[in-house]
């Protein structure tokens, strides 16, 4: 297929392409960005580091304004559905007000009451084609095929949306999409500042997340397994020792009889913090556990200093928290040996060579050995100098494990990491944080925002925070209702997602009658339009074109057909061919982050528009191929059938009468080979429409 430029485009193709704002102008959004507060002269979390807090009410308003403009601009150029608008109304079987002012049960009840109290109307419900595309992207990361669109639009049943939800939750694609999400959340990548998990270690944790989701393992069980895991970081089985380096090399390279297996050990490995005493690693594990499972990244600050005088304007809990308290959380990890002992060594002549995997094994709690760094099993040494955090010079000197958010008796007969997993997953905040992270993924905004900065002192309407603080959640009763339901379901992620996506709140249109104040976003009175993620863009091009590809990502993960199935965001597509290079450039342009310092972003850039227009991967999949694909399947159809099939394949809807007439006229201006070229132009133009790269 020939390379395009705007100057060389036929007039009709240019009109289609320009039926919406350029990516550089339109769909900028703040998706998936975690944050931590800026606290002055902190030397560990300097500007640009992942632990920096830079969120405020003004920053939140800026983000809402950006998303509101992106949604407005996108919906201004996306054609309205031909079906009549359906207003928001509570289902007849919905739970109603129970007692007291603003008491509510259920998503729609809580959202409707809050919006009505503010005097803000809700948008109409979205149309069927829009709902199908939105739900397919949100639950599985993929756009629907044209055959799915035709079937769903032709289904006359009243409960077809519920049936669609159940069907998608049961697909293997659901596990692919959410393994990618949790891989982002848990920072599963090959190399970070403190650790090289290596490819096998990265793959092992990815397989663990994938298999856990495929079996619908309860989320609390997943977390307890990750926190308490022992064994090798790649899930493989090795002898206790090797007679020689050559024997080690032979065993390590033998992936056929000793393959990489699913293992949660990589979560603990990800906190490895070299360059200081083992307490740095214990602190890192405490911070990661608090951030990932409680949504409380402020713990990182308190692991360096007491909150008083430093977090007064950031967190009511943080302002009164002490370093000693959160050291009690870190002490639950103090049975781990120093990180130098995580890497077995094997002799090679006169030198010792570290092997390429980690072994995590707790020291016996009965051991009285004190290692060279001053560590002691079951105790946290609060008397160290140097390392990655400020000196620990506390009069307590040795801190016993103590969960800082609830009474936590320690059982000497149970491993400490098992106990902290129990305390974390039993904490009501665990369910709140999980609900909020998942909610944010569907709505681009959490009930608490930012999603990793929960303040436990500001969650209860019945006990409002003192002073000038406000209750933190936008819908506190809804947060509690969902968290309680998530616990009652046995921490079933599919239950949680089903509740969210079957709600009318989720099904609201991104179109809004009247003036939309960006601050309305807090009330969820309409849906946010978002740019597709890097992996979604890649896979949408494949699905729309009907063409397939595959990537040999690693010795373990071979023939991976879709980006949504990749285990990482960094250097996962090998090869030097135009298709591989184009795919890598496309993913990079759409800002997947790096799972280290740079978060995933939904921001727009001119580079994204240029990639959609000229990237070899895009051009290849927009072109006709005799080996099959959408164009090959449709090229023998009459012009109206060809155009309709392409719209269904790329945009997930049939063309309007005007679109059909214009496209048929354009196709009819050429014959035979010329007609195929014009069909390629049409495919390319549709791939560049705002409607294609937007989840609305």
């Amino acid at each position: 297929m020939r390379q395009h430029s705007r100057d060389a485009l036929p007039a009709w193709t240019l009109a289609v392409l320009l039926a919406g704002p350029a990516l550089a102008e339109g769909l900028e959004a703040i998706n998936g960005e975690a944050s931590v507060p800026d606290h002055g002269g902190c030397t560990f979390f300097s500007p640009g580091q992942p632990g920096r807090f830079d969120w405020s009410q003004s920053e939140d308003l800026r983000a809402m304004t950006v998303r509101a403009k992106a949604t407005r601009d996108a919906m201004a150029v996306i054609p309205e559905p031909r079906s009549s608008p359906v207003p928001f109304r509570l289902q007849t079987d919905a739970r109603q007000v129970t007692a007291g002012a603003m008491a509510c049960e259920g998503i729609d009840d809580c959202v409707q009451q809050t919006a009505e109290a503010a005097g803000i109307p809700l948008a109409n419900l979205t149309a069927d084609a829009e709902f199908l595309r939105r739900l397919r992207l949100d639950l599985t990361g993929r756009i629907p095929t044209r055959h799915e669109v035709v079937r769903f639009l032709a289904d006359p049943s009243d409960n077809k949306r519920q049936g669609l939800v159940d069907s998608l939750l049961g697909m293997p694609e659901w596990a692919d999409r959410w393994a990618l999400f949790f891989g982002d959340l848990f920072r599963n990548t090959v190399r970070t500042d403190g650790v090289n998990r290596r490819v096998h270690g990265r793959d092992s944790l990815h397989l663990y997340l994938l298999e856990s989701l495929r079996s619908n393992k309860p989320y609390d069980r997943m977390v307890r397994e990750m926190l308490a895991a022992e064994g090798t970081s790649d899930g493989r089985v090795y002898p206790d020792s090797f007679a020689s380096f050559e024997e080690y090399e032979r065993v390590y390279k033998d992936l056929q009889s000793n393959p990489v297996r699913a293992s949660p050990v990589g979560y603990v490995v990800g906190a490895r913090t070299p360059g200081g005493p083992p307490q740095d690693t214990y602190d890192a594990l405490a911070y990661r556990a608090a951030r990932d499972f409680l949504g409380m990244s402020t713990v990182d600050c308190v692991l360096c200093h007491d909150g008083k005088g430093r977090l007064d304007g950031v967190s009511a809990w943080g302002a009164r928290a002490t370093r000693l308290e959160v050291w009690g959380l870190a002490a639950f990890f103090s049975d781990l040996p120093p990180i130098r002992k995580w890497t077995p060594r094997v002799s090679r002549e006169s030198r010792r060579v570290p092997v390429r995997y980690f072994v995590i094994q707790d020291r016996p709690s009965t051991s009285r050995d004190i290692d060279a760094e001053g560590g002691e099993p079951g105790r946290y040494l609060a008397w160290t100098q140097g390392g990655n955090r400020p000196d620990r010079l506390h009069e307590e000197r040795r801190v016993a494990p103590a969960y800082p958010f609830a009474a936590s008796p320690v059982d000497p007969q149970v491993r400490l990491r098992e106990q902290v997993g129990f305390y974390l997953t039993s904490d009501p905040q665990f369910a709140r944080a999980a609900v909020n992270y998942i909610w944010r993924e569907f709505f681009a905004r959490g009930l608490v925002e930012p999603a990793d900065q929960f303040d436990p002192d500001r969650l209860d309407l019945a006990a409002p925070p003192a002073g000038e603080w406000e209750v933190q959640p936008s819908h506190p009763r809804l947060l509690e209702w969902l968290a309680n339901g998530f616990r009652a379901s046995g921490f079933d992620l599919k239950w949680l997602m089903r509740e969210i996506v079957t709600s009318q709140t989720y099904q609201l249109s991104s179109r809004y009658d009247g003036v939309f104040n960006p601050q309305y976003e807090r009330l969820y009175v309409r849906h946010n339009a978002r740019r597709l993620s890097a992996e979604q863009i890649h896979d949408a091009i494949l699905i729309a074109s009907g063409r397939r590809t595959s990537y040999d990502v690693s010795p373990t993960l071979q023939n991976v057909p879709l980006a949504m199935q990749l285990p990482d965001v960094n250097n996962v597509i090998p090869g030097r061919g135009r298709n591989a290079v184009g795919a890598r450039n496309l993913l990079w342009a759409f800002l997947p982050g790096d799972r280290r310092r740079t978060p995933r972003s939904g921001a727009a850039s001119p580079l994204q528009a240029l990639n959609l227009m000229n990237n070899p991967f895009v051009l290849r999949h927009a072109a006709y191929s005799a080996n099959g694909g959408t164009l090959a399947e449709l090229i023998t159809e009459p012009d109206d059938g060809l155009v309709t099939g392409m719209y269904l394949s790329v945009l997930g809807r049939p063309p309007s009468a005007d679109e059909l007439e214009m496209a048929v006229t354009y196709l009819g201006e050429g014959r035979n080979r010329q007609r195929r070229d014009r069909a390629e132009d049409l495919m390319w133009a549709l791939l560049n429409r705002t409607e294609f790269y937007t989840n609305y």
Side-chain angles (χ1 to χ4, degrees), residues 279 324 327 374 379-384 392-400:
Q279 286 77 10
L324 183 64
W327 280 340
R379 294 279 172 173
Y380 178 100
L381 182 64
W383 196 263
T384 67
R392 301 171 183 86
L393 300 173
H394 199 280
E395 59 185 9
E396 292 287 333
R397 297 184 71 90
R398 296 187 185 277
V399 181

Side-chain angles (χ1 to χ4, degrees), residues 188-203:
N188 182 31
T189 189
V190 172
R191 184 186 295 274
T192 64
D193 293 338
V195 62
N196 183 353
R197 280 193 183 93
R198 299 189 182 274
V199 168
H200 293 341
R202 186 265 328 266
D203 288 353

Side-chain angles (χ1 to χ4, degrees), residues 222-275:
M222 286 174 58
V223 170
R224 289 196 299 271
E225 288 176 352
M226 286 190 292
L227 288 170
E230 291 187 301
T232 58
S233 58
D234 56 12
R236 304 174 72 194
V237 178
Y238 299 97
D240 293 335
S241 61
F242 299 95
S244 66
F245 183 77
E246 288 70 26
E247 180 192 8
Y248 160 71
E249 285 282 89
R250 177 176 53 78
V251 171
Y252 185 78
K253 292 178 180 178
D254 182 10
L255 288 167
Q256 185 170 358
S257 59
N258 188 21
V260 172
R261 296 177 176 86
S263 171
V265 167
Y267 183 81
V268 170
V269 170
R272 184 178 185 269
T273 309

Side-chain angles (χ1 to χ4, degrees), residues 268-269 271-274 276-288 330 333 336-339 342 380 388-389 392:
V268 170
V269 170
R272 184 178 185 269
T273 309
Q279 286 77 10
D280 284 350
T281 296
Y282 307 153
D283 284 356
L285 279 162
Y287 160 54
R288 286 168 178 261
F333 300 99
L336 286 168
I339 58 176
W342 293 12
Y380 178 100
N388 292 278
R389 293 187 183 269
R392 301 171 183 86

Side-chain angles (χ1 to χ4, degrees), residues 342-356:
W342 293 12
T343 307
R345 293 175 180 270
V346 61
S347 296
R348 186 177 187 180
E349 300 171 351
S350 60
R351 60 192 178 94
R352 304 275 284 176
V353 181
V355 301
R356 297 184 286 262

Side-chain angles (χ1 to χ4, degrees), residues 548-570:
R548 293 294 180 261
T549 191
S550 65
Y551 306 113
D552 293 335
V553 175
S554 68
T556 299
L557 302 174
Q558 297 280 301
N559 298 315
V560 177
L562 293 170
M564 196 57 60
Q565 297 172 313
L566 295 172
D568 198 351
V569 297
N570 297 297

